[in-house]
Amino acid sequence: MPISRRAVLHRVPMRHPGDTAAIEDLIAAGRLDPSGIVAILGKTEGNGCVNDFTRAYAVQSLTLMLARHGGAEAAARVALVMSGGTEGGLSPHFLIFAVEAGDAANSAGALAIGTGFTRDFAPEEIGRPAQAEAVAAAVRQAMEEAAITEPHYVQVKCPLLTTERIAAAGAAVATEDTYASMGLSRGASALGVALALGEVEAVLPEDIGRNWERYSAVASASAGVELERCEIIVLGNSTAWSGDLAIAHAVMQDAIDLPAVHRAMRLAGLPAEDGQLAPAAAERLVAVLAKAEPSSTGRIRGQRHIMWDDSDINATRHARALVGGVIAGAVGRTDIFVSGGAEHQGPDGGGPVAVIARRALPV
């Protein structure tokens, strides 16, 4: 019987951004081999903006934990993607992705995980085609290594510009507005995914942050101050992998596209109805990952929204709360990974939504 790889995914709560106790409990109980961890995604309770240090706090705590179990070099090989902002009813949590030896490969396809890292970027490269091209190369390499031919979700954690980084730049930067740099970095990363997957043929400077007709249907990018490179996680199904986990995705055309959420659930093998996922089926739901972005037109299906005009609450914070509520109503849980800022990640005002579930046992 040929040996394959098997993807393992655990979803655990966090009491605060530095709380790794639930992960430590999995390791102590023998349910998680720390040497097999390849990526950790987290939703932290900060503001999701430039000065959201809950992301860096979580990364620091996770890095120290991983180093205790496997050393600093092993810890550096784990992709750590923290997304700030748990507005509305969203619950802070971690998603721990690990790879272990499997048995016979699943002929129907099983969840496969690929990871990759770009080089560190100079400040003047952030939000520009050089970043997109580096991301594309890393995505292709991750897909090849994981034998993924059709990814359903590509998560990128990317850097942003700070005042200090702008001052240290060797040439003109894409923007001197540090908050705007988040969107440009996310956009360049997403177009890099699109370039790798053939969704676009090239990434031009004038595309990034401007041409919303160009996007990836599976990209999810999150920017943070805690890194200078891009860290990439590719999730798809592969017949070279074993296990009972599977992933599927759909694209929300706007922030209230509930049918798209139901479509992703059905494609992942869950019995999505018009109402909420039944408790028995909900036990097979392992993770939901989605992007949220206010439409640039200021309208949702013809009705005005004020997300861009609110001077008190950032627009992406509104969007996370809105999309999080729509998805939570469908799946019946609030520990879902909703990331704000969907520039070039799905159509304007919408975004990808992916569902990871365990296949139903044969009756």
Side-chain angles (χ1 to χ4, degrees):
M1 180 181 295
I3 300 298
S4 65
R5 288 171 285 183
R6 175 188 174 94
V8 177
L9 173 55
H10 295 278
R11 182 189 61 245
V12 299
M14 67 172 84
R15 294 169 297 181
H16 56 77
D19 176 30
T20 62
I23 304 175
E24 293 275 20
D25 288 345
L26 289 172
I27 295 171
R31 298 179 56 201
L32 174 65
D33 180 355
S35 67
I37 298 173
V38 296
I40 301 177
L41 273 63
K43 280 303 301 181
T44 63
E45 58 208 76
N47 60 27
C49 299
V50 174
N51 65 333
D52 182 355
F53 291 99
T54 65
R55 297 178 302 228
Y57 179 24
V59 167
Q60 180 186 58
S61 298
L62 290 166
T63 300
L64 291 172
M65 180 203 71
L66 292 167
R68 285 196 301 272
H69 288 283
E73 289 187 9
R77 291 194 294 269
V78 178
L80 301 175
V81 178
M82 300 299 112
S83 173
T86 51
E87 296 81 5
L90 292 174
S91 299
H93 68 285
F94 289 120
L95 295 171
I96 305 100
F97 292 86
V99 177
E100 62 183 27
D103 45 27
N106 192 328
S107 60
L111 178 66
I113 306 167
T115 60
F117 305 90
T118 68
R119 57 178 173 79
D120 286 356
F121 295 111
E124 56 268 27
E125 293 179 306
I126 294 175
R128 288 187 162 143
Q131 180 180 351
E133 290 160 5
V135 167
V139 169
R140 294 188 191 105
Q141 183 176 354
M143 289 174 58
E144 181 178 1
E145 191 279 331
I148 297 172
T149 56
E150 186 176 351
H152 286 276
Y153 209 74
V154 181
Q155 179 67 55
V156 182
K157 186 66 184 183
C158 52
L160 53 80
L161 290 171
T162 62
T163 303
E164 184 178 31
R165 289 175 183 174
I166 292 171
V173 293
T175 178
E176 294 191 358
D177 182 330
T178 57
Y179 182 76
S181 78
M182 297 182 75
L184 291 175
S185 185
R186 289 189 298 255
S189 297
L191 288 173
V193 175
L195 183 62
L197 303 185
E199 295 170 296
V200 300
E201 294 182 358
V203 179
L204 304 176
E206 57 267 29
D207 288 331
I208 302 171
R210 296 182 182 89
N211 186 354
W212 305 124
E213 297 299 316
R214 297 169 70 80
Y215 62 82
S216 171
V218 297
S220 171
S222 179
V225 71
E226 66 273 17
L227 76 175
E228 297 182 48
R229 64 181 181 179
C230 286
E231 302 191 353
I232 295 152
I233 305 166
V234 182
L235 302 175
N237 297 316
S238 173
T239 55
W241 288 59
S242 65
D244 61 351
L245 294 177
I247 184 171
H249 81 280
V251 179
M252 297 178 70
Q253 298 301 309
D254 57 32
I256 57 174
D257 189 359
L258 179 60
V261 179
H262 282 150
R263 185 161 58 253
M265 293 164 64
R266 284 194 297 270
L267 290 171
L270 296 173
E273 306 293 342
D274 291 337
Q276 198 169 92
L277 191 63
E283 292 181 359
R284 295 196 288 112
L285 177 68
V286 182
V288 182
L289 308 104
K291 289 300 298 188
E293 174 76 5
S295 60
S296 64
T297 62
R299 295 184 178 273
I300 301 175
R301 302 189 189 183
Q303 302 302 309
R304 184 172 70 95
H305 69 72
I306 55 82
M307 290 186 270
W308 291 116
D309 300 320
D310 190 339
S311 298
D312 296 315
I313 302 174
N314 185 270
T316 56
R317 306 193 74 184
H318 279 290
R320 279 191 293 268
L322 173 57
V323 173
V326 171
I327 296 175
V331 302
R333 61 182 316 124
T334 58
D335 49 352
I336 50 183
F337 188 93
V338 180
S339 173
E343 301 87 354
H344 304 293
Q345 300 151 72
D348 184 23
V353 55
V355 173
I356 301 175
R358 299 189 186 283
R359 287 188 173 88
L361 294 174
V363 177

